[in-house]
């Protein structure tokens, strides 16, 4: 056991010694396998040399020992200098060929050398798994030349006296055996590598296909969201109030610009990858230009309750820059930060200059090669946010095409997956560099370095700025008092859970005539508002920060306070799997963006009508059902049966009020009111009275108690008040009802 532990420890030491940055698993395995074969062959070579020495074959012994000493030397230098592994392997394999050639000629040619000619072939074969194709090719060429030369010289060579015919035959067979084993192992390794390579290629293609599918799904979502607003607000059937027309035009324009930005991103990426994008430098003060580009994003940050700090350490910076590419870099960097920064978060955008003489090691990971010009000055652009951050191992991947961050909650923010790739390629085109550093839970920092030069013609760049500040306006939050002119008790309450302000505005525009609308900007807030207000119906997006639409749906449907609320999932995810997932989580309807406004209104209306038809059923169920709570899984039935059990216990108490009922159920009075109203159509007070009157009705039928006694037994202090309520509820007085029974 101790010996096995030593062997295992030695194996670990070899793996650790030869593992270099950038090595693949196959490359590391090839290096360690070569070294192990080298180490294990040395004792055998030495033993054969000693055996020949003891049998007075000193020349043969010397040949084996020369080979042994050289292999020991190679093993030592390879172990000491693992970063030069290939050079020493190349020397070793050429030594095999040269030694084979020299020894074959010395001992009398191919026929009388004991098969030493196979040593060179072994060297060529071993190189297959370690060296590059060109290196392998030249080794085989040299070996073939040596064999041809040996064949031509064979008639002129004399066999060495130490190699008797019998010994020649034995050594020939041994060398043939060795070369056969080497050939077998080489072919086996080659086949394994070939199979592994094909499997890796298949896995890579599948992974690429999955990534592309996700990319197209996400880019579709990115396109569908602005299209929903544009097509919806330009629908001729939508009657828009003139006062809203100007605001709607602004929404349409902004979403049109968003579509244009997405298209431009994709076109820029294709140009960059085809090396067909040209640079159009102008020379001017870049600071005002940058300020104009970021100004709309400052308004957008304020709109989202995000603090945006602009730290400028440069009064002016005259330099060559491409306005279009500079705008694309800045827009992508800041949009990315805004996407992942939470409400009440902070974004710091800073400008300074930098010399490459300063250390850049603190800037984090860079996908580009190190800057080499020590005398070059750079404009340093830094964007820092306090979002969820990124795991360290994911940093090298975020600049890859289509890659979406998986760590933390960042994968809730779906996007196209090409923004940072475009930034990286543009920065590379401009001979700059980009760095990223991030700490999970604390935030992310992106640093861009662009070279400062003054070679272009001084030009007014104002016409190059495409950012339209008028496109970003303050978006009014939806609150409960936004529709103060409506009767809150008569009109259905609609909760909109949508993180996109424009889509939320559009939904409000088409629903505000028929519903009291209020809005939550993410899934977590949506759940809170649903529990606080108990709306009549909910419209929710799926892809949102925090909890997504599926989680919102599942949470609301599992809580007895909100389980009755119909939920419409409104999203750009149109595939069947997403729809099935939505229905599995309890969604009542699923609509794809872009959608027809009339279709949405009809869906909402029909879902509310369905709830209305269920009210009579649930009102009766609360009174007459014999179902046990433990035997039902329907949340509404569980709620009503629990309410019935409490009413059975307390209905006779004249001081039992809705407040006490809400306390027994563990909900607020407003939540109880909204829940009972939605499920039975009765307020909490009316529900308690309805239950008491229904019990009184049964007592009138089944007992001989007078009407006043029955009124007291079911919790009414005033028999006259009981009579009025009974007559109103059942259309006949208690006395008349008893008389009609007889």
């Amino acid at each position: 056991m101790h010996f096995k532990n030593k062997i295992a420890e030695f194996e670990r030491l070899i793996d650790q010694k030869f593992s270099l940055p950038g090595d693949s698993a196959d490359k590391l395995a090839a290096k360690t396998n070569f070294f192990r074969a080298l180490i294990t062959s040395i004792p055998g070579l030495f033993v054969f040399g000693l055996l020949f020495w003891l049998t007075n074959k000193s020349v043969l012994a010397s040949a084996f020992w020369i080979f042994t000493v050289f292999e020991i030397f190679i093993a030592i230098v390879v172990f000491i200098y693992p970063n030069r592994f290939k050079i020493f392997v190349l020397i070793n394999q050429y030594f095999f060929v040269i030694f084979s050639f020299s020894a074959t000629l010395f001992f009398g040619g191919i026929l009388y050398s004991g098969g030493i000619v196979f040593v060179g072939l072994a060297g060529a074969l071993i190189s297959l798994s370690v060296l590059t194709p060109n290196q392998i090719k030249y080794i085989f060429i040299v070996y073939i030349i040596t064999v041809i030369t040996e064949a031509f010289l064979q008639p002129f060579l004399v066999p060495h006296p130490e190699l008797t015919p019998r010994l020649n035959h034995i050594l020939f067979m041994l060398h043939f055996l060795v070369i056969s084993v080497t050939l077998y192992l080489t072919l086996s390794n080659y086949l394994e590598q070939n199979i592994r390579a094909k499997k890796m290629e298949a896995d890579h293609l599948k992974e690429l296909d999955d990534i592309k599918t996700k990319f197209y799904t996400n880019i579709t979502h990115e396109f569908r969201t602005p299209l929903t607003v544009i097509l919806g607000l330009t629908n001729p059937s939508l009657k828009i109030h003139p006062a809203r027309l100007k605001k709607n035009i602004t929404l349409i324009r902004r979403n049109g610009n968003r579509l244009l930005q997405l298209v431009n991103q994709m076109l820029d990426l294709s140009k960059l990858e085809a090396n067909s994008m040209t640079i159009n430098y102008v020379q001017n003060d870049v600071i005002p230009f940058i300020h104009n580009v970021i100004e709309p994003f400052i308004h957008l940050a304020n709109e989202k309750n995000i603090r945006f700090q602009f730290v400028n350490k440069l009064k002016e910076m005259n330099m060559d820059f491409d306005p279009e590419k500079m705008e694309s870099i800045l827009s992508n960097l800041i949009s990315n930060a805004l996407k992942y920064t939470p409400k009440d978060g902070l974004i710091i955008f800073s400008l300074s200059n930098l010399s490459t003489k300063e250390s850049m090691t603190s800037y984090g990971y860079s996908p580009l090669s190190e800057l080499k010009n020590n005398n070059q000055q750079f404009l340093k652009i830094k964007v820092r946010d306090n979002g969820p951050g990124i795991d360290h191992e994911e940093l090298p991947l975020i600049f890859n095409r289509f890659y979406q961050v998986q760590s933390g909650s960042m994968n809730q923010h779906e996007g196209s997956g090409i923004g940072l790739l475009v930034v990286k390629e543009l920065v590379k085109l401009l001979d700059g560099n980009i760095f990223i550093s991030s700490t999970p839970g604390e935030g992310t920092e992106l640093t861009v370095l662009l070279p400062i030069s003054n070679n272009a013609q001084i030009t007014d760049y104002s016409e190059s700025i495409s950012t339209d500040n008028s496109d970003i306006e303050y978006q009014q939050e939806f609150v409960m008092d936004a529709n103060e002119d409506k009767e809150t008790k008569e009109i259905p309450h609609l909760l909109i859970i949508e993180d996109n302000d424009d889509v939320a505005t559009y939904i409000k525009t088409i629903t505000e005539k028929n519903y009291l609308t209020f809005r939550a900007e993410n899934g977590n807030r949506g759940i809170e508002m649903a529990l606080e207000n108990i709306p009549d119906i909910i419209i929710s997006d799926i892809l949102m920060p925090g909890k997504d639409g599926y989680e919102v749906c599942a949470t609301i449907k599992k809580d007895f306070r909100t389980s009755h609320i119909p939920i419409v999932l409104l999203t750009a995810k149109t595939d069947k799997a997403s729809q099935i997932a939505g229905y599995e989580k309890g969604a009542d309807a699923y609509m794809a963006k872009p959608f027809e406004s009339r279709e949405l209104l009809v869906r909402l209306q029909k879902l509310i009508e369905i709830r209305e038809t269920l009210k009579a059923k649930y009102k009766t169920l609360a009174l007459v059902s014999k179902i046990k709570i433990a035997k039902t899984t329907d949340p509404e039935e569980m709620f009503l049966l629990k309410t019935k059990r409490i009413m059975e216990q307390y209905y006779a108490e004249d001081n039992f009020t809705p407040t006490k009922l809400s306390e027994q159920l563990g909900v607020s009075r407003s939540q109880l009111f909204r829940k009972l109203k939605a499920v039975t159509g009765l307020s909490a007070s009316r529900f308690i009275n309805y239950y008491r009157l229904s019990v009184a009705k049964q007592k009138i039928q089944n007992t001989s108690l007078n009407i006043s006694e029955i009124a007291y037994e079911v919790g009414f202090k005033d028999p006259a008040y009981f009579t009025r309520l009974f007559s109103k509820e059942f259309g006949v007085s208690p006395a008349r009802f008893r008389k009609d029974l007889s």
Side-chain angles (χ1 to χ4, degrees), residues 264-276 401:
N264 287 339
Q265 266 191 354
M266 299 180 74
L267 291 175
D268 286 347
L269 185 59
S270 64
K271 287 181 182 179
L272 285 163
E273 293 186 337
N275 295 319
S276 61
R401 179 191 269 264

Side-chain angles (χ1 to χ4, degrees), residues 326-378:
M326 178 69 82
E327 182 182 348
S328 181
I329 290 170
L330 296 174
S331 298
N332 276 299
L333 289 176
I334 301 174
S335 296
N336 208 56
L338 283 169
K339 186 184 295 184
Y340 297 118
T341 303
K343 188 177 180 181
D344 300 321
L346 172 66
I347 294 174
I348 301 174
F349 180 91
S350 63
L351 292 175
S352 60
N353 64 343
L354 171 81
S355 169
T356 50
K357 292 180 180 179
E358 300 178 39
S359 173
M360 299 180 193
T361 55
S362 61
Y363 295 162
Y365 168 79
S366 174
L368 302 177
S369 56
E370 186 178 351
L371 299 169
K372 295 179 180 179
N373 189 346
N374 291 330
N375 298 319
Q376 179 71 59
Q377 293 287 322
F378 287 86

Side-chain angles (χ1 to χ4, degrees), residues 248 436 474:
N248 289 344
I436 182 168
Y474 180 79

